[in-house]
Amino acid sequence: MSDHISSIIDSHCHIVFSNFDEDREKVAERWRSQGVKALLHACVEPSEIPAIKSIADQFEEMRYSVGVHPLDVHHWKEETLDILKKAALDDKRVVAIGELGLDLFKAENLNEQLAVLIPQLKLAFELNLPVIVHCRDAAKEMIEVFSKLAKNDCCPKGVMHCWSGNLKEMREFLNLGFYISFSGNVTFKNAVEIHECAKEVPHNRFLVETDSPFLSPVPHRGKRNEPSFVKHVVKKISELRSQSFSEIAESSTKNARELFGLP
Ligand SMILES: [Zn+2]
């Protein structure tokens, strides 16, 4: 097996969380030993930025995003947009705005979420940065938002992170120019719709990620997730598409580099 020599990019992780405080170095040794060549650290609200930045100082293969998650809208203040803009302009390692989006699974405050989402999308377009989109039980609303922006030629490019939608939704996001990122949930036996999407997505339009520490892939389900486990996502997609591990690693790496300009 050539598993461990392929280059892989974990396009979405949160190792700033305190459940990595004890062993972040060890976690990095493991991702390095498994061929993870670059990582994109996602941000859920601005107070995280200094800590994420120092993680990027610690691990040279780390890039990061800045943004406000739809379940963190209470962190949005008058000055937040300026803070995000300054953070993005100050550090070349900021390669995306996010994670941003809509979550109607865990919350119902759609208008509040939109009020935080729209300015971030406009900022991303202005800075020519891609967005990392969290979208849960809100595909219809999200497509509406993107379609409106696309009509005015001001929709940023980006990725639908932790894909959990169906084929019809995937096709719409692809048509709007978005990439699709698969995470641990593609390894779940019952995730039939996600499997269908992984089979159909064009080879030049998908990424892989862990969303560590959440949503560990099989065979680590239920435990803390970490970037080295991204290989299980690659492996599952390779089985679904009847392609080799290295082909999937290669396409997803190439796509992540194209979208985010990663090393
Ligand atoms: Zn995330």
Side-chain angles (χ1 to χ4, degrees):
M1 280 293 277
S2 58
D3 282 25
H4 51 289
I5 55 164
S6 298
S7 297
I8 314 178
I9 289 178
D10 182 359
S11 71
H12 193 114
C13 66
H14 301 264
I15 65 164
V16 72
F17 292 167
S18 59
N19 53 354
F20 287 104
D21 284 350
E22 299 295 310
D23 64 346
R24 215 169 267 115
E25 289 282 354
K26 288 264 175 250
V27 168
E29 275 173 31
R30 287 195 289 271
W31 83 55
R32 285 169 177 166
S33 76
Q34 298 299 322
V36 177
K37 293 290 185 334
L39 305 89
L40 206 171
H41 198 299
C43 170
V44 296
E45 52 93 3
S47 77
E48 287 186 321
I49 296 172
I52 296 176
K53 203 170 171 173
S54 65
I55 287 176
D57 292 338
Q58 195 181 353
F59 306 109
E60 60 172 3
E61 64 271 56
M62 189 70 70
R63 299 293 180 272
Y64 64 102
S65 67
V66 297
V68 178
H69 190 286
L71 298 175
D72 286 272
V73 288
H74 50 285
H75 290 284
W76 186 265
K77 313 254 162 54
E78 230 182 274
E79 65 276 16
T80 301
L81 196 66
D82 289 334
I83 292 171
L84 298 179
K85 183 172 180 174
K86 188 175 180 316
L89 291 172
D90 275 358
D91 189 346
K92 279 200 180 71
R93 296 171 300 181
V94 174
V95 296
I97 302 295
E99 53 185 291
L100 46 71
L102 297 173
D103 191 321
L104 301 178
F105 178 75
K106 285 192 179 168
E108 289 168 351
N109 55 342
L110 176 62
N111 287 334
E112 220 180 314
Q113 291 185 31
L114 285 169
V116 168
L117 168 66
I118 305 289
Q120 293 187 87
L121 291 173
K122 291 187 171 159
L123 175 67
F125 186 79
E126 177 194 332
L127 300 178
N128 195 24
L129 284 173
V131 290
I132 298 172
V133 184
H134 170 106
C135 179
R136 197 152 180 217
D137 276 7
K140 183 175 137 279
E141 291 79 0
M142 202 73 233
I143 288 163
E144 251 173 56
V145 168
F146 289 150
S147 302
K148 245 186 225 168
L149 292 174
K151 231 182 228 167
N152 296 315
D153 287 326
C154 60
C155 189
K157 54 191 175 153
V159 60
M160 302 306 297
H161 121 79
C162 191
W163 181 252
S164 59
N166 59 38
L167 275 178
K168 185 175 166 284
E169 291 159 356
M170 183 180 80
R171 289 172 190 149
E172 297 198 55
F173 286 112
L174 287 169
N175 283 338
L176 284 158
F178 285 82
Y179 288 74
I180 305 294
S181 181
F182 295 98
S183 68
N185 53 1
V186 77
T187 67
F188 301 168
K189 207 174 160 188
N190 298 332
V192 181
E193 290 189 315
I194 305 176
H195 296 167
E196 292 303 314
C197 291
K199 286 181 203 169
E200 182 178 300
V201 71
H203 71 95
N204 58 350
R205 298 292 293 283
F206 74 94
L207 312 182
V208 291
E209 62 168 89
T210 58
D211 204 12
S212 305
F214 309 111
L215 218 65
S216 266
V218 173
H220 302 287
R221 205 171 169 178
K223 286 184 258 168
R224 181 191 71 175
N225 199 358
E226 63 169 62
S228 67
F229 295 169
V230 73
K231 67 175 180 183
H232 300 295
V233 176
V234 173
K235 184 165 171 281
K236 181 68 186 189
I237 297 174
S238 75
E239 289 165 10
L240 289 165
R241 293 171 75 90
S242 309
Q243 286 180 274
S244 69
F245 183 96
S246 60
E247 275 177 299
I248 298 302
E250 206 175 291
S251 327
S252 56
T253 296
K254 185 167 178 279
N255 299 339
R257 285 182 176 147
E258 248 162 44
L259 180 63
F260 296 119
L262 294 174

